[in-house]
Amino acid sequence: MSGRHRLGTTMPAPEPAVRFPTREPVDFVIVGSGASGGILARELSTAGFDVVVLEQGPYRTAADFSHDEMVNFIQGEMTSHPGWNDPQTFRDDPDAVADANANGGLPPALYARTVGGASVHFSGNYWRMRPLDFKERSLLGPMSGTGFADWPISYDELEPYYTRVEWEIGVSGEPGPFDPPRSKPYPLPPMPVKSSGVLLEKGARALGLHPQAAPVAILSQAYNGRPACVHCGFCMGFGCEMNAKSSTLATVLPQAEATGRCEIRPLSTVYRVDTGDDGRVDQVRYYDAQGAEQAQKARAVILAANGAETPRLLLMSASSAHPDGLANSSGLVGKYLMGNGHSTLHATFDEPVNDWKSIQVTRIIHDFYETDPARGHYGGGGIDARPLLNATPLMHALTETGMGTPRWGKDFRRDVDFGFSHHVAVLGSTTSVPLERNSVSLDPTVTDDKGRPALRVTYRDHDDDLAMMQFLQDRGEEIMDAAGARRTWREPVVPQTLLAHLLGTCRMGNDPATSVVDAAHRSHDVPNLFICDGSSLVSSGRGQPTLTIQALAFRAADKIIEAARNNEI
């Protein structure tokens, strides 16, 4: 299978600006082209290094995207492997046998397989972490039975890179009352407020809370040669046909290719990273578009494949020199998986809301961001209002499960018609405590069509995370009631079995015994192997990690370039 896909058809991939021979080493191979991989590719190639980006998904462009709900949601075209069956298994207990059907057939680790990665189909919410997120262990003390730890870097050190992301890719917003210090304003004004934002503001202000404009990686005005958002309503789960969403596909990857030093190889599924007799990485093995085995020689390798695929690849790269997996002398590769907690409240109003229009989120509430001991549990988070899956007609009909709603007949049709135009969802996004039992590992019995061990997810939310989800759901109901909701109903707060945020599985730290990479994202074990994606995070933040992942990528690129120029790689 080759090319890129649209509605089940095959289209030719763009001709690469440069092609590197596989048997001659390039300076860097980057595995993954998403939020972090795209930035690293741009930074390294513009610095004069030869870069090959290996991406398991096809090379789609804005012209290939559509509003087809069957293709995007039901068939999972962007999240399924494009060439073969690649199952995942799930269990909530490390002593249980994982099951490929435990999640109703849905993959427990949800991510896009396409050039640009999850930045192509995400909703674009772009919160910064705060200074406390980097040192909560010192502020609050230990949490028994967890891997609760401080980061080896501070907010102040990362702040210039937060600003760099916002200005280089294009983020719309304005500072709110609880925002951390910043060195520059947002480059673009906030997106226009939509109905759900107006209602969230109304209810929040009635309760003495402080709603603010949501920062989003979507253009409110034309910026850097890209057009402004047209408010089509198809953001979450869809690629942007206008290139107004600030994905790496629309921003840094074209700039990387324009250098003539970066080759993006789509439909290239990596299955092993090899090391030579000197203990250094020397090549990356992958299946090409035809399913044939290939290997790209490299002087250094950067894994940016996401917090599930990166540890999977390290574990599949076990050898006599690395019997427990590459870069895994600590035994922590794949451990401390964090997914952020989420809870959902639904509300309907007497008057039409029509929240299917425009982007998902225009207003947020961060009054509950910090941990408050008076709550009786760890954790904090944010609240937003949005249509959620009710933004698109088919998914609204399939998920319209309001209290007492029938599942068929004229009453079902009545409720679906009413709900589509009168519905608002309130989402609570929270912390996720790092637990060693929560992990990504290799399934011992289930394999994909190429014989690779299936990705096995073991996960159960900490009780404090569940309590914080419930706390934010309670506040969401109070806000909607204060806004004049006609009716509210809740989705049960239960341990999560589907994770779209995949964090912490190759954590950063100064001690090789308790971390996988150092503060510069270099493996403690292999000097020319770097890991920079959601797996590097030490703590989860409060629910929207992509901006932090990209800030870390810009910082990592500076560190890697400096080391390479000093012949330290």
Side-chain angles (χ1 to χ4, degrees), residues 508-554:
M508 174 195 298
N510 294 324
D511 184 353
T514 58
S515 59
V516 177
V517 296
D518 66 16
H521 294 268
R522 191 197 297 250
S523 159
H524 289 301
D525 300 349
V526 184
N528 64 337
L529 174 66
F530 298 83
I531 300 168
C532 185
D533 53 25
S535 66
S536 306
L537 272 64
V538 182
S539 59
S540 68
R542 265 61 181 172
Q544 305 297 345
T546 309
L547 175 55
T548 297
I549 291 170
Q550 293 196 302
L552 290 171
F554 269 120

Side-chain angles (χ1 to χ4, degrees), residues 180-241:
R182 58 172 48 247
S183 54
K184 291 178 71 173
Y186 286 100
L188 293 161
M191 293 288 287
V193 64
K194 55 189 289 186
S195 298
S196 57
V198 171
L199 292 168
L200 188 76
E201 281 193 336
K202 177 182 177 182
R205 294 194 188 284
L207 299 174
L209 302 176
H210 304 83
Q212 66 182 79
V216 293
I218 301 171
L219 303 185
S220 60
Q221 299 175 356
Y223 189 72
N224 286 348
R226 293 188 292 125
C229 173
V230 297
H231 309 285
C232 69
F234 287 79
C235 285
M236 190 176 74
F238 295 86
C240 182
E241 299 164 68

Side-chain angles (χ1 to χ4, degrees), residues 133-154:
D133 287 304
F134 297 87
K135 57 182 181 180
E136 261 193 317
R137 167 66 169 77
S138 294
L139 292 172
L140 300 176
M143 295 181 66
S144 178
T146 77
F148 197 44
D150 289 344
W151 291 55
I153 62 174
S154 68

Side-chain angles (χ1 to χ4, degrees), residues 449-487:
D449 287 352
K450 291 293 184 181
R452 300 185 305 161
L455 191 155
R456 179 176 65 180
V457 174
T458 305
Y459 194 85
R460 189 186 188 284
D461 294 296
H462 191 278
D463 287 346
D464 282 19
D465 295 328
L466 293 168
M468 192 64 209
M469 294 180 216
Q470 185 66 62
F471 175 87
L472 291 183
Q473 191 179 67
D474 292 343
R475 304 292 80 74
E477 184 168 36
E478 292 168 358
I479 291 167
M480 288 295 98
D481 286 343
R486 168 179 177 169
R487 186 181 69 175

Side-chain angles (χ1 to χ4, degrees), residues 39-343:
I39 283 175
L40 287 157
R42 201 284 299 270
E43 292 299 285
L44 293 170
S45 59
T46 56
F49 297 100
D50 292 338
V51 178
V52 169
V53 179
L54 299 175
E55 167 59 52
Q56 65 178 312
Y59 201 137
R60 301 174 173 95
T61 67
D64 301 314
F65 299 131
S66 77
H67 292 174
D68 192 306
E69 296 175 75
M70 283 293 296
V71 166
N72 283 277
F73 282 122
I74 307 303
Q75 297 175 0
E77 183 186 58
M78 205 177 297
T79 56
S80 300
H81 194 281
W84 59 81
N85 182 42
D86 184 19
Q88 299 178 13
T89 63
F90 179 82
R91 59 186 182 176
D92 61 6
D93 184 336
D95 295 325
V97 176
D99 184 354
N101 297 310
N103 201 25
L106 294 173
L110 183 65
Y111 49 89
R113 307 189 201 221
T114 190
V115 172
S119 71
V120 171
H121 76 167
F122 70 173
S123 297
N125 296 302
Y126 259 45
W127 306 355
R128 291 187 178 199
M129 286 188 180
R130 294 188 192 173
L132 68 89
D133 287 304
F134 297 87
K135 57 182 181 180
E136 261 193 317
R137 167 66 169 77
S138 294
L139 292 172
L140 300 176
M143 295 181 66
S144 178
T146 77
F148 197 44
D150 289 344
W151 291 55
I153 62 174
S154 68
Y155 173 83
D156 289 343
E157 185 174 353
L158 200 57
E159 194 284 329
Y161 297 103
Y162 276 127
T163 295
R164 192 170 176 187
V165 175
E166 291 165 354
W167 281 80
E168 295 216 16
I169 72 163
V171 175
S172 304
E174 63 184 9
F178 302 107
D179 280 11
R182 58 172 48 247
S183 54
K184 291 178 71 173
Y186 286 100
L188 293 161
M191 293 288 287
V193 64
K194 55 189 289 186
S195 298
S196 57
V198 171
L199 292 168
L200 188 76
E201 281 193 336
K202 177 182 177 182
R205 294 194 188 284
L207 299 174
L209 302 176
H210 304 83
Q212 66 182 79
V216 293
I218 301 171
L219 303 185
S220 60
Q221 299 175 356
Y223 189 72
N224 286 348
R226 293 188 292 125
C229 173
V230 297
H231 309 285
C232 69
F234 287 79
C235 285
M236 190 176 74
F238 295 86
C240 182
E241 299 164 68
M242 299 298 296
N243 275 336
K245 190 188 294 186
S246 298
S247 65
T248 57
L249 175 68
T251 57
V252 290
L253 286 174
Q255 295 167 1
E257 291 182 289
T259 66
R261 290 184 174 274
C262 177
E263 178 189 355
I264 298 174
R265 287 187 199 154
L267 298 171
S268 299
T269 302
V270 177
Y271 65 89
R272 185 174 180 84
V273 179
D274 288 335
T275 55
D277 294 337
D278 60 358
R280 302 167 65 85
V281 169
D282 61 5
Q283 69 176 4
V284 177
R285 298 179 183 267
Y286 65 97
Y287 297 106
D288 66 15
Q290 288 72 41
E293 296 184 17
Q294 303 287 351
Q296 175 64 56
K297 290 286 188 180
R299 297 183 178 90
V301 171
I302 304 173
L303 302 186
N306 75 46
E309 289 283 15
T310 287
R312 180 192 190 187
L313 178 56
L314 291 170
L315 296 172
M316 287 194 297
S317 301
S319 64
S320 58
H322 302 277
D324 297 319
L326 189 61
N328 196 26
S329 64
S330 65
L332 294 180
V333 166
K335 304 291 181 64
Y336 297 122
L337 173 63
M338 299 175 289
N340 288 125
H342 297 286
S343 59

